[in-house]
Amino acid sequence: MKSIKELEEIRKRTLDTINIRKERTGTRVVVGMATCGIAAGARPVLLTVMDEVKKNNLSDVAVTQTGCIGMCRLEPIVEVYRPNEEKVTYVKVTPSKALRIVNEHIMQGKVVDEYTIGSED
Amino acid sequence: MKELSLHILDLVQNSISAGATLTEIVIKEDLAADWLTIEINDNGHGMDKELLAKVKDPFVTSRTSRKVGLGIPLMLAACQRCDGDLTISSEVNVGTNLTAVFKHSHIDRVPIGSMAETLISLILCSTYTDFLYKHIIINKKSSLSEFCFDTREVKKLLGSEVPLTEPDILNWIKDYIAEGLSNLGGGI
Ligand SMILES: Nc1ncnc2c1ncn2[C@@H]1O[C@H](COP(=O)(O)OP(=O)(O)O)[C@@H](O)[C@H]1O
Ligand SMILES: [Mg+2]
């Protein structure tokens, strides 16, 4: 059974990393989580982004959600904001597409063009 | 939606948007009476009578009036498909109570799905709202068991420096809920 004691250990461990954490570079990943997004599969996309960000120790990346972006047909939608760059909007995102977005765009700065709005089939 | 937990994720977003500081999610599986009840109670800003009267109807939206969305009508349709119903009561500046009922064994009832994933998704995106999640099972012999998860308790343990949204904490919460539910033998 997951114990409260375990939570206390995680707390201590996390506290150390928070204290040594460098300031956020300001990259934000925003997942559309309105009715249309959720119905289209936004929850696994959000959690995949969260897991991948954690796995790669990208502690300077913020993962958040937003409501309806107004393009229900193209959900799940993920927006990536990087400092000094224009916002990139990815559409019809799946967990496997989300992995590439984190690995290529967020980690290496290479936009995954084929998933961006306007390139979808 | 493919899971009731996805409806819940969607409907609790309404509570968060309404500025709730506490949202209670209660799932009751009464196997003796064959009912599944989902309650969402919040202390958000509520709805006036006029809005309340039309939130269940997706067709009342006119171009000039306020846009009324699809989340509530979708849940209502899911309930009605399963011999159940959806009732909503609300009071301005007090809060909203939403109760969805399904026949538990109905063939068209979608599974509850992952409440663990729904809760961590909610936590990840709403730092200001606390969540109290109760899952009650009444078995065929009418004996009751309950699982309870309260973000306020976790916050108390973590103190002010470590937010719930830390990935390691979220993962712990996810496993804690999944394990608690599987010990309960419900959540289907
Ligand atoms: N818990 C709540 N508290 C206050 N207002 C609510 C609540 N739930 C629903 N509403 C109101 O009802 C409207 C319709 O809700 P919903 O069907 O989920 O569609 P949407 O969220 O897309 O607008 C919301 O926009 C909101 O004005
Ligand atoms: Mg809604």
Side-chain angles (χ1 to χ4, degrees), chain A residues 41-60:
Chain A
R43 187 179 70 183
V45 168
L46 175 74
L47 297 180
T48 300
V49 172
M50 186 200 90
D51 280 346
E52 197 62 12
V53 161
K54 176 190 141 54
K55 208 162 73 194
N56 293 290
N57 280 318
L58 309 175
S59 52
D60 55 339

Side-chain angles (χ1 to χ4, degrees), chain A residues 78-80 82 85-121:
Chain A
V78 173
E79 296 173 329
V80 175
R82 299 177 92 231
E85 284 175 25
E86 266 183 55
K87 171 182 87 175
V88 177
T89 303
Y90 293 103
V91 297
K92 296 186 183 173
V93 181
T94 59
S96 63
K97 289 182 181 178
L99 286 181
R100 276 192 64 192
I101 293 167
V102 175
N103 283 290
E104 294 174 30
H105 188 178
I106 295 171
M107 294 174 67
Q108 301 170 45
K110 289 188 291 201
V111 177
V112 191
D113 285 318
E114 66 251 55
Y115 303 158
T116 57
I117 188 160
S119 320
E120 84 279 3
D121 36 75

